[in-house]
Amino acid sequence: MAQEEVPSQDPALPATAYAVLGLLSFGQELTGYDLRKWAMNMRYFYWSPAQSQIYLELRRLLQHDLVEVQVEEQKSRPDKRLYRITEAGLKVFREWLDHAPVGPPLLKHSVALRLFFGHQTDHARLREVLTEYRDWAVEQTTGLTELRTELDQRLPYPALVATWGSAYFAAEITAIDAVLADLDRMDREEEAD
Amino acid sequence: MAQEEVPSQDPALPATAYAVLGLLSFGQELTGYDLRKWAMNMRYFYWSPAQSQIYLELRRLLQHDLVEVQVEEQKSRPDKRLYRITEAGLKVFREWLDHAPVGPPLLKHSVALRLFFGHQTDHARLREVLTEYRDWAVEQTTGLTELRTELDQRLPYPALVATWGSAYFAAEITAIDAVLADLDRMDREEEAD
DNA sequence: ACTGCCATGTAACTAGTTACATGATTGG
DNA sequence: CCAATCATGTAACTAGTTACATGGCAGT
């Protein structure tokens, strides 16, 4: 390591670090374990990183003095490490929130990918895959509606995102139904020649 | 390395490898360069990996004999490597298409993430970010409609996905408008106290 | 004259994953 | 009594990124 000259002007953190920082920006002291649970509530629109990744980001943020930790000793189990955002952390987070370039969402839709290659399989199997995805999407809407009622008024912005998420899954369900109908149409057209 | 005993029964390839294999399953011989262009057409629903990653996957697929290559020598520029899917490749691809478990889409929506943390910024900035995203989404629908007319009849399944994609972006635009309206409402409620 | 396309590849890095290890406490 | 939860962390790996290098040829 070189001798420190500048106290890291622009840490250029990965998105996950900002997600962690953002969760801490609500003002509560949280453990890595707590953060993982919160991150799971965000899975509807932001892929939850693995548990080990969260602990890694926390250590990185600590090194940059963007969070501070208070260790609570526990008998015969790992010490509880309560993280809190620092002034510097809040500053960096707000800077990101206000000035980071608006990027497109990163999407890897494996079901859409499989439909794209539909010429290599049959409609029966395609319908199975699509239906399974549809069922999953229905479950997600249920989960989101529950989450939203849980959030409402207390956390207005997360509630807004939950509403958005519901709309997203509703749209997916409608789109799947349209695709399913199109597959039927294709079958009928094939039959009638 | 151990001495080869089994000729790699289950290669367990990453998703990107299947995407490449799938593109080759249309029957054309393609270069890495061609594949990158095709992958860019899929960016609406499946994140385009970096160019270097595509070349890497091709080399891996070659090692597994899932593709074969025909080298065309070029004077004073890199040789053109035309890849073609093999019988084994087609088999592995179909196996994946038919039997891979249906996974949820991987989504990292940085705009939704920023809205989630709206308490740390102001509505003016939030509106800017949302509007910029909205504009981008509008562009995407335009691109997709063009692509769909280009695909229609010739490639029915990609056309289906393109339609789905249009619906997705349309839903995003509607959702953003709803969020924008909600922000207005929040402003009015704040004002009236 | 210059920009963009064709075409491949390497090097160094970062983000992320899965699997493992530990072990008491709480709830049904 | 058994399963889940709490709570952190390491090790080995894979997927993916950016930046660089090369250099002719086609179109405006």
Side-chain angles (χ1 to χ4, degrees):
Chain A
M1 297 280 168
Q3 285 153 289
E4 55 269 35
E5 302 200 354
V6 182
S8 66
Q9 274 287 72
D10 187 342
L13 300 164
T16 303
Y18 290 109
V20 168
L21 224 39
L23 286 176
L24 289 168
S25 82
F26 287 100
Q28 302 222 355
E29 290 194 335
L30 298 170
T31 65
Y33 196 86
D34 295 331
L35 282 162
R36 196 182 123 268
K37 280 194 302 182
W38 261 98
M40 276 178 57
N41 284 335
M42 294 163 56
R43 73 179 180 282
Y44 301 101
F45 63 92
Y46 206 86
W47 186 256
S48 289
Q51 164 258 101
S52 63
Q53 189 66 18
I54 291 177
Y55 285 104
L56 184 79
E57 294 301 343
L58 281 171
R59 287 191 289 267
R60 175 177 1 218
L61 290 171
L62 199 58
Q63 277 184 352
H64 285 287
D65 293 316
L66 303 180
V67 300
E68 55 193 14
V69 71
Q70 193 196 330
V71 182
E72 251 180 43
E73 277 182 44
Q74 309 269 300
K75 28 179 183 148
S76 74
R77 82 159 78 174
D79 288 349
K80 195 178 204 167
R81 298 169 65 80
L82 281 161
Y83 290 92
R84 186 192 328 172
I85 195 165
T86 61
E87 271 304 311
L90 212 49
K91 209 179 137 221
V92 165
F93 179 67
R94 291 214 189 97
E95 178 67 23
W96 171 77
L97 198 53
D98 283 348
H99 301 302
V102 176
L106 186 148
L107 180 62
K108 280 189 155 190
H109 205 308
S110 59
V111 173
L113 186 67
R114 283 161 90 164
L115 177 60
F116 191 89
F117 297 128
H119 67 290
Q120 287 293 340
T121 186
D122 57 294
H123 286 190
R125 184 60 193 131
L126 233 34
R127 277 196 196 88
E128 275 175 36
V129 170
L130 289 164
T131 308
E132 202 177 319
Y133 174 63
R134 192 191 188 283
D135 291 345
W136 175 83
V138 169
E139 265 178 52
Q140 302 305 298
T141 39
T142 321
L144 261 178
T145 344
E146 272 172 33
L147 188 64
R148 195 180 44 201
T149 53
E150 200 187 309
L151 294 173
D152 239 354
Q153 50 265 56
R154 257 185 325 124
L155 298 168
Y157 299 100
L160 238 40
V161 177
T163 309
W164 181 356
S166 291
Y168 164 71
F169 286 115
E172 284 291 270
I173 293 166
T174 311
I176 292 291
D177 288 339
V179 170
L180 253 16
D182 273 328
L183 290 179
D184 288 346
R185 187 183 43 72
M186 283 163 85
D187 283 342
R188 265 180 277 119
E189 279 172 17
E190 182 124 318
E191 214 177 305
D193 70 354
Chain B
M1 296 281 167
Q3 284 152 292
E4 54 271 37
E5 302 199 354
V6 183
S8 66
Q9 274 287 73
D10 186 341
L13 301 163
T16 303
Y18 290 109
V20 167
L21 224 39
L23 286 176
L24 289 168
S25 83
F26 287 100
Q28 302 223 353
E29 290 194 332
L30 299 170
T31 64
Y33 196 87
D34 294 331
L35 282 162
R36 195 181 124 267
K37 278 193 303 183
W38 261 98
M40 275 178 57
N41 285 335
M42 295 163 57
R43 71 180 181 283
Y44 302 101
F45 64 93
Y46 205 86
W47 186 255
S48 290
Q51 163 258 103
S52 62
Q53 189 64 18
I54 291 176
Y55 285 104
L56 184 79
E57 293 302 344
L58 281 170
R59 287 192 290 268
R60 172 171 12 211
L61 291 170
L62 199 58
Q63 277 185 355
H64 285 288
D65 293 315
L66 303 180
V67 299
E68 55 193 14
V69 71
Q70 192 196 331
V71 182
E72 250 180 44
E73 277 182 46
Q74 309 271 297
K75 27 176 182 149
S76 72
R77 83 160 79 176
D79 288 349
K80 196 177 201 166
R81 300 170 64 82
L82 281 161
Y83 290 91
R84 187 191 329 171
I85 196 166
T86 61
E87 271 306 311
L90 212 49
K91 208 177 139 221
V92 164
F93 180 67
R94 290 214 190 97
E95 177 68 23
W96 170 77
L97 198 53
D98 283 348
H99 301 302
V102 175
L106 185 149
L107 180 61
K108 280 190 155 191
H109 205 309
S110 59
V111 173
L113 185 67
R114 282 161 91 164
L115 177 60
F116 191 90
F117 298 130
H119 67 289
Q120 287 292 339
T121 187
D122 57 291
H123 286 191
R125 185 61 194 131
L126 234 33
R127 277 197 196 88
E128 276 176 34
V129 171
L130 290 164
T131 308
E132 201 175 322
Y133 174 63
R134 192 189 188 284
D135 292 344
W136 175 83
V138 169
E139 266 177 53
Q140 303 304 300
T141 39
T142 321
L144 261 177
T145 340
E146 272 171 34
L147 188 63
R148 195 179 44 200
T149 53
E150 199 185 311
L151 294 174
D152 239 353
Q153 48 268 57
R154 257 188 322 126
L155 298 168
Y157 300 98
L160 238 42
V161 177
T163 309
W164 181 356
S166 290
Y168 163 71
F169 286 116
E172 284 290 271
I173 293 165
T174 312
I176 291 291
D177 288 339
V179 170
L180 252 16
D182 273 328
L183 290 179
D184 288 346
R185 186 183 44 71
M186 283 163 86
D187 283 342
R188 265 181 277 117
E189 279 171 17
E190 181 124 318
E191 214 177 304
D193 70 352

